Amino acid sequence: MKNRLNDPEWKRAMKWFYRYLAKYKWKEAVGLVLVTICAVLNIINPKIMGIIVDDVIGDGKGISERMGILPIAVALMIGCQFVRAVIRLISQWLFETCSQDMLYDMRDGVYRSLLQKDFSFYNRNRTGDLMSRQTGDMMAIRHFVAYVIYSIYENVLLFVIALIMIFSVDWRIGLAMMAVLPISAFVTYLQSKTIKPKFMKIRDRFSSLNAFAQENISGNRVVRAFAKEDYEIEKFDVENAAYRDAELDAAKVWTKYVPIFEVCASFLTVILMLVGGIMCVKGAMTLGDMVIVNSYLWMLNMPLRMFGWLINDYQRFTTSVVKIYTTVSEKPQITNPSKPKNEKKIKGEVEFRDVSYKVEGEPILDHVSFKVKQGETVGILGATGSGKTTIMNLICRFYDVTDGAVLVDGIDVRDMELHTLRDGIGLAMQDVFLFSDTIEGNIAYGDPDCTLDQVKWAAKMADADGFISEMPDGYDTVVGERGIGLSGGQKQRIALARAILKKPAIVILDDTTSAVDMETESQIQKDLKLLENETVFIIAQRISSLKDADVILVVEDGRITQMGTHKELVAEDGYYRTVYEHQLGNLKSQTA
Ligand SMILES: Nc1ncnc2c1ncn2[C@@H]1O[C@H](COP(=O)(O)OP(=O)(O)OP(=O)(O)O)[C@@H](O)[C@H]1O
Ligand SMILES: [Mg+2]
């Protein structure tokens, strides 16, 4: 087995965890001091019981004279229990608040780190997997801080105190009690070694189950549309069973080891009865001493019984820390430059200088060059999969170019502060995503402090004001996840309004009017002309959406094959004219 302490990933993960705990270490320490007091108070009651047996009950003589001690002794015992209960209450509260506060910080940290991840990170990770980092794994960590740390400490402490006390009563019986230690230490080692990979498997299966459920709930409409419920249930059952089996697999380990700890614990009683009994009979030990040792016995027993469970919890905790850490520690490739060269706001000039972009050696864009002045409208036409969205992704620096450079206002985007760059761009993505919020909230997303008039202005520009006003709650209408309840074209127009609301220097409309009718689209085209200072990129499949652009780029297979105005491109032999004639033909046949 790999030695844990030498495993650098494990070490780094633990350091990461400790950074969060460190903020609350004093709270945790005070809690542990209180636990220590509680544990030490455990010495008192057995002592008193020993006194009662030897001095009060004794051999039956003189009971009446010594009866006076009894009420004091009982009051002391009750008082001691009361103090312990109060201390325990306070320590529990300390551990609880410490764990909740730490978890708050940790969730926040993990969430921040997730928001900084690259697009490529989200291409590789499933939402459900990432969700389980924030839920199941966090719970295991909280449980460790709120319960496992102090339980391990308390149990070790109880065990040591009990041993010391037993040794102080009689070293021979102490030694006999210690005989079980090597056995339980060996069992601890074995259990810990066997259970670790099982917990790793549990975490993987849990993530997988979560991811599956998340994907199916999100894609529920597709499942229904294809009447694939049974098929999906079958697949879910496989995931579900895999998770159950992983849990059972781990359970098999502890059901095997926990009884061994139990047996070790009950051995202690046997040893006491045997060794203590013989010593009592021989007069080497008083009955009171035997009662004292017997009353300490639970303090030896309990840790032995608990150890199996605590190892379980500890391993669950380390697995979860490692899992979260591996997700968090993945550094984003797209980061802020150390010395940004940009101004506070961008103006909107865009240049692609011999840009190539490859994914795993596969060329997506091939030597793309063009230059756009501030305030120009650029149309982009190209077959599906030709690389149009990729060009836009590079302007926003969602990915970095493999070769060449993308310049905004003459500055390489890699030298620009990311926030300034992206804040200056209004992007209406091809795949519209609306938040579960009101329409107003969705449109105002880029500038939540804007007025309702500004929201209405943006909606009017996107020709959305009409249908929004007709809704019973108007701008206060809540649109569900992904804007359910709205038509495709309506969603697109809200996304368009959202993109132009903050009057960004660069507006990117990626196929944003594909789902709206021709009439609405021509209205939107007219409105967009009012954006005089903004550089506007319009990606579209319809010539009607592009023909008024200052310049039109034709993208074929990751290359720009044609560039010019509508007039120029229609006169040229090429993809643009083919599409134009095709669409014109369709229009004529429709109107004929
Ligand atoms: N993250 C990615 N990883 C690997 N390949 C990608 C990635 N993103 C896009 N591609 C590939 O790059 C090519 C261009 O994709 P892009 O999305 O730019 O096309 P597009 O012109 O916008 O198409 P559409 O008109 O269908 O939106 C496609 O072949 C696509 O499969
Ligand atoms: Mg696209």
Side-chain angles (χ1 to χ4, degrees):
M1 190 178 87
K2 222 194 301 182
N3 186 351
R4 270 238 160 138
L5 291 172
N6 290 334
D7 185 345
E9 183 70 4
W10 185 85
K11 259 189 183 169
R12 277 197 292 271
M14 286 303 137
K15 262 191 195 156
W16 170 83
F17 160 75
Y18 184 70
R19 274 209 303 278
Y20 284 100
L21 184 64
K23 195 170 155 194
Y24 304 99
K25 66 177 176 217
W26 291 114
K27 220 176 192 181
E28 188 84 13
V30 172
L32 291 180
V33 169
L34 294 181
V35 167
T36 315
I37 298 173
C38 252
V40 172
L41 282 176
N42 281 319
I43 304 171
I44 297 177
N45 283 3
K47 275 270 180 220
I48 298 173
M49 276 161 75
I51 294 170
I52 294 175
V53 171
D54 274 353
D55 293 355
V56 180
I57 303 171
D59 50 6
K61 291 172 198 157
I63 288 179
S64 49
E65 295 107 74
R66 293 178 200 137
M67 272 306 260
I69 307 173
L70 206 56
I72 302 168
V74 171
L76 247 168
M77 283 167 80
I78 294 174
C80 185
Q81 288 300 354
F82 180 74
V83 172
R84 278 189 58 210
V86 172
I87 292 178
R88 185 152 281 269
L89 189 83
I90 300 170
S91 67
Q92 290 291 329
W93 180 244
L94 284 174
F95 293 130
E96 192 61 35
T97 50
C98 173
S99 72
Q100 293 293 2
D101 288 344
M102 195 206 84
L103 214 69
Y104 170 87
D105 294 347
M106 198 177 258
R107 268 199 302 264
D108 196 58
V110 172
Y111 187 62
R112 274 166 200 272
S113 123
L114 286 178
L115 285 189
Q116 280 163 8
K117 300 283 185 211
D118 295 336
F119 268 37
S120 53
F121 172 86
Y122 286 99
N123 291 343
R124 275 179 284 111
N125 288 284
R126 290 184 296 182
T127 315
D129 271 334
L130 300 174
M131 294 291 293
S132 60
R133 294 294 97 81
Q134 286 284 48
T135 53
D137 287 319
M138 287 280 174
M139 289 322 288
I141 295 178
R142 197 200 78 78
H143 179 66
F144 180 77
V145 177
Y147 173 76
V148 182
I149 293 182
Y150 92 80
S151 289
I152 292 178
Y153 174 72
E154 187 180 34
N155 279 294
V156 170
L157 202 66
L158 283 179
F159 196 85
V160 172
I161 291 176
L163 266 187
I164 294 173
M165 295 317 289
I166 293 171
F167 264 99
S168 75
V169 171
D170 193 292
W171 66 269
R172 286 162 296 186
I173 196 128
L175 221 53
M177 293 289 178
M178 277 183 75
V180 293
L181 273 185
I183 307 170
S184 48
F186 182 63
V187 179
T188 306
Y189 166 75
L190 277 187
Q191 183 190 355
S192 162
K193 193 177 118 174
T194 342
I195 202 112
K196 189 186 163 197
K198 310 277 180 200
F199 280 138
M200 265 298 178
K201 205 163 143 199
I202 289 182
R203 297 318 311 162
D204 286 342
R205 295 279 182 260
F206 179 74
S207 287
S208 183
L209 179 68
N210 242 5
F212 185 87
Q214 190 273 337
E215 222 170 278
N216 268 268
I217 292 166
S218 294
N220 171 276
R221 287 166 194 83
V222 181
V223 178
R224 296 284 182 85
F226 284 80
K228 283 295 214 181
E229 289 92 337
D230 290 342
Y231 170 72
E232 289 300 336
I233 289 169
E234 249 172 57
K235 266 170 50 183
F236 180 79
D237 286 346
V238 173
E239 294 283 339
N240 201 2
Y243 174 58
R244 179 200 56 197
D245 294 344
E247 284 280 7
L248 285 178
D249 228 23
K252 261 186 219 154
V253 176
W254 58 256
T255 45
K256 197 163 85 189
Y257 286 101
V258 166
I260 304 178
F261 285 111
E262 287 278 336
V263 170
C264 286
S266 47
F267 257 152
L268 293 174
T269 321
V270 177
I271 295 172
L272 175 68
M273 287 305 149
L274 259 176
V275 181
I278 294 169
M279 283 169 72
C280 266
V281 171
K282 287 192 171 170
M285 202 167 112
T286 66
L287 199 60
D289 283 346
M290 177 124 168
V291 168
I292 292 177
V293 175
N294 192 42
S295 339
Y296 285 126
L297 211 57
W298 72 268
M299 285 166 70
L300 286 183
N301 265 337
M302 194 176 76
L304 285 183
R305 290 215 166 91
M306 288 297 293
F307 243 71
W309 300 105
L310 292 175
I311 291 165
N312 251 4
D313 288 346
Y314 172 73
Q315 293 291 13
R316 260 185 211 273
F317 153 78
T318 52
T319 323
S320 288
V321 171
V322 170
K323 276 265 168 204
I324 299 180
Y325 178 73
T326 349
T327 309
V328 175
S329 63
E330 199 183 309
K331 294 267 174 289
Q333 302 294 315
I334 312 282
T335 50
N336 269 320
S338 49
K339 283 187 188 137
K341 292 182 182 164
N342 57 300
E343 307 277 322
K344 277 229 150 42
K345 268 188 182 297
I346 61 170
K347 293 189 196 78
E349 194 186 290
V350 178
E351 183 183 351
F352 270 51
R353 210 176 268 171
D354 201 22
V355 169
S356 292
Y357 175 65
K358 287 182 186 162
V359 176
E360 286 165 15
E362 273 296 305
I364 309 282
L365 290 182
D366 193 15
H367 300 287
V368 170
S369 293
F370 65 86
K371 193 170 177 178
V372 179
K373 288 199 213 82
Q374 179 191 357
E376 278 189 332
T377 300
V378 186
I380 300 181
L381 181 81
T384 171
S386 54
K388 304 179 295 292
T389 301
T390 309
I391 294 178
M392 297 304 117
N393 285 340
L394 294 179
I395 298 178
C396 302
R397 206 182 160 212
F398 292 142
Y399 304 100
D400 271 340
V401 298
T402 323
D403 251 318
V406 175
L407 297 100
V408 169
D409 299 345
I411 305 164
D412 192 322
V413 287
R414 286 167 292 191
D415 294 328
M416 295 182 91
E417 216 246 327
L418 273 175
H419 182 264
T420 315
L421 172 71
R422 290 180 187 161
D423 198 39
I425 300 175
L427 172 63
M429 292 190 181
Q430 192 168 15
D431 179 18
V432 176
F433 183 90
L434 298 181
F435 292 99
S436 306
D437 194 357
T438 59
I439 293 183
E440 185 191 347
N442 266 294
I443 296 179
Y445 187 70
D447 182 10
D449 297 328
C450 69
T451 61
L452 182 59
D453 281 342
Q454 282 170 291
V455 172
K456 282 190 175 161
W457 167 83
K460 278 187 186 130
M461 292 282 289
D463 204 33
D465 182 60
F467 81 82
I468 298 172
S469 304
E470 277 168 24
M471 290 184 158
D473 293 324
Y475 281 83
D476 291 330
T477 309
V478 175
V479 287
E481 224 179 12
R482 290 197 159 250
I484 298 304
L486 296 176
S487 76
Q490 287 170 337
K491 279 191 263 181
Q492 282 190 336
R493 277 178 282 165
I494 291 181
L496 172 59
R498 173 168 68 187
I500 54 185
L501 173 105
K502 56 176 183 175
K503 294 192 180 157
I506 300 171
V507 177
I508 298 175
L509 309 177
D510 192 348
D511 235 1
T512 311
T513 49
S514 63
V516 299
D517 57 83
M518 298 277 250
E519 203 178 316
T520 312
E521 192 199 5
S522 86
Q523 184 58 44
I524 294 173
Q525 297 299 329
K526 258 189 233 158
D527 294 339
L528 287 178
K529 285 207 184 98
L530 298 172
L531 300 172
E532 282 177 352
N533 295 322
E534 287 85 344
T535 309
V536 184
F537 286 89
I538 302 174
I539 298 179
Q541 306 286 350
R542 283 191 214 145
I543 297 287
S544 58
S545 315
L546 309 167
K547 66 178 188 345
D548 295 331
D550 296 311
V551 61
I552 298 165
L553 313 177
V554 177
V555 188
E556 286 179 84
D557 247 348
R559 274 173 298 123
I560 294 189
T561 49
Q562 287 179 287
M563 200 186 300
T565 59
H566 172 72
K567 241 180 170 173
E568 289 164 358
L569 294 178
V570 167
E572 239 177 63
D573 205 17
Y575 183 78
Y576 191 87
R577 193 160 78 186
T578 316
V579 175
Y580 174 68
E581 281 170 356
H582 185 72
Q583 290 186 4
L584 200 68
N586 279 348
L587 206 64
K588 276 184 186 157
S589 65
Q590 275 170 21
T591 45

